[in-house]
């Protein structure tokens, strides 16, 4: 008999202002062993949910915002090409701070409408860790973000803003490229927490997939919104 994925609460990091993105806060245990990035629209019956979130972020200067959704099956977010996923919207609670670590409720309930699955990947316990630091790029317009590409324990989750260095290569992280969450490698950095990107770093990156393979991107690192190591230390961690 095949097992059925149980419904669970899959907490997510919230980044972006003009366009909002949700990133799963994964663990190396089922049913949480998936890294995914969603482009979403936030709605509320009590007003403009996106604007309330943006206003709160700007007023408080808080880096970490999270979403605690109603329980759902991660597999329902995706479907075979040409078919509609079973789950295209869900409700939850938006928090300033980490929802499991003393965060403050901002909007409850909030409705999340999924516009695009930017990245979706189940962890492969047989995967090899890359030698060089890998990130997934996403965003739109002037808002560019990196999420560390998670592979195997011990590992780390990180979300950070980036921007192009003026005068860099002509090929840039355009909206068309970013919509599919390309993978990039950071030159001269090992794939470990101590070598992760930090604010004000200026780095060179190259595409590993989803972009031209003969272009070096010069990037300036901005604010770090989230970094987590404990939840990804082993494959037996639980909340």
């Amino acid at each position: 008999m095949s097992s059925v994925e149980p419904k669970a609460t899959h907490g997510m990091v919230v980044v972006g202002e003009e366009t909002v993105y949700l990133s799963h806060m994964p663990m190396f245990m089922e049913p949480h062993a998936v890294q995914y990035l969603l482009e979403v629209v936030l709605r509320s019956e009590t007003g403009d949910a996106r604007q309330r979130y943006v206003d709160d972020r700007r007023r408080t200067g808080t880096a970490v915002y999270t979403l605690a959704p109603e329980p759902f099956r991660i597999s329902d977010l995706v479907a075979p090409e040409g078919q509609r996923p079973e789950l295209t919207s869900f409700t939850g609670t938006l928090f300033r701070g980490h929802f499991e670590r003393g965060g403050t409720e901002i909007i409850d309930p909030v409705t999340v409408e999924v516009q695009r699955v930017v990245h979706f990947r189940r962890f492969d316990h047989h995967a090899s860790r890359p030698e060089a630091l890998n990130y997934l790029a996403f965003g739109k317009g002037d808002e560019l973000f990196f999420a560390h590409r998670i592979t195997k324990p011990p590992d780390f989750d990180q979300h950070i803003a980036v921007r192009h260095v003026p005068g860099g290569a002509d090929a840039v992280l355009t909206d068309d490229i970013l919509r599919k969450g390309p993978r990039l490698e950071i030159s001269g950095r090992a794939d470990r927490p101590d070598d992760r990107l930090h604010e004000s770093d200026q780095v060179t990156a190259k595409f590993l997939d989803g972009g031209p393979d003969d272009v070096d991107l010069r990037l300036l690192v901005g604010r770090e919104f989230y970094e987590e190591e404990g939840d990804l230390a082993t494959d037996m961690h639980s909340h």
Side-chain angles (χ1 to χ4, degrees):
M1 179 184 297
S2 61
S3 61
V4 176
E5 178 191 339
K7 290 186 176 182
T9 299
H10 299 288
M12 305 177 212
V13 177
V14 187
V15 298
E17 294 187 2
E18 292 301 320
T19 303
V20 178
Y21 294 90
L22 301 180
S23 178
H24 183 219
M25 301 157 71
M27 295 179 287
F28 290 111
M29 58 178 290
E30 298 299 339
H32 305 286
V34 179
Q35 185 170 18
Y36 64 75
L37 294 163
L38 309 176
E39 178 186 329
V40 304
V41 170
L42 303 180
R43 303 206 184 274
S44 171
E45 294 182 355
T46 59
D48 186 333
R50 184 195 67 84
Q51 194 61 53
R52 287 172 61 190
Y53 148 70
V54 171
D55 289 347
D56 193 88
R57 182 183 280 281
R58 293 177 178 177
R59 178 178 60 82
T60 66
T62 302
V64 178
Y65 281 75
T66 57
L67 184 105
E70 63 185 352
F72 68 90
R73 297 183 182 91
I74 287 181
S75 56
D76 288 344
L77 287 170
V78 293
E81 187 173 354
Q83 298 184 29
R84 182 181 174 85
E86 291 189 30
L87 186 67
T88 59
S89 69
F90 51 87
T91 61
T93 304
L94 181 66
F95 287 81
R96 181 196 313 126
H98 196 303
F99 73 98
E100 290 184 319
R101 302 173 187 172
T104 301
E105 291 186 7
I106 301 300
I107 308 175
D108 181 29
V110 64
T111 298
V112 176
E113 297 179 358
V114 180
Q115 305 298 297
R116 184 189 316 282
V117 178
V118 179
H119 179 81
F120 187 97
R121 176 175 46 87
R122 296 188 182 278
F123 296 140
D124 178 0
H125 293 286
H126 301 291
S128 299
R129 186 188 313 281
E131 292 187 6
L133 189 59
N134 277 209
Y135 284 91
L136 301 168
F138 63 104
K140 186 178 292 185
D142 293 331
E143 292 185 309
L144 307 179
F145 306 101
F146 275 5
H148 178 243
R149 187 179 187 274
I150 299 165
T151 54
K152 62 185 298 183
D155 214 325
F156 70 100
D157 195 3
Q158 184 194 27
H159 296 74
I160 197 162
V162 298
R163 61 184 175 89
H164 295 98
V165 174
D170 292 336
V172 296
L173 293 167
T174 63
D175 289 357
D176 285 343
I177 289 176
L178 289 167
R179 67 197 301 268
K180 294 185 178 180
R183 180 163 59 109
L184 294 99
E185 179 180 277
I186 308 302
S187 301
R189 302 283 186 107
D191 197 70
R192 60 188 183 189
D194 289 348
D195 266 3
R196 74 181 191 273
L197 298 183
H198 293 86
E199 186 172 347
S200 300
D201 284 351
Q202 186 168 314
V203 297
T204 300
K206 66 177 182 180
F207 288 100
L208 295 179
D209 58 48
D213 58 9
D214 58 348
V215 172
D216 287 338
L217 298 174
R218 292 172 55 209
L219 301 168
L220 183 64
V221 180
R223 190 177 195 188
E224 181 180 83
F225 295 101
Y226 181 76
E227 199 272 341
E228 172 65 38
E229 298 172 39
D231 282 356
L232 296 165
T234 71
D235 57 5
M236 296 298 291
H237 184 87
S238 62
H239 286 295

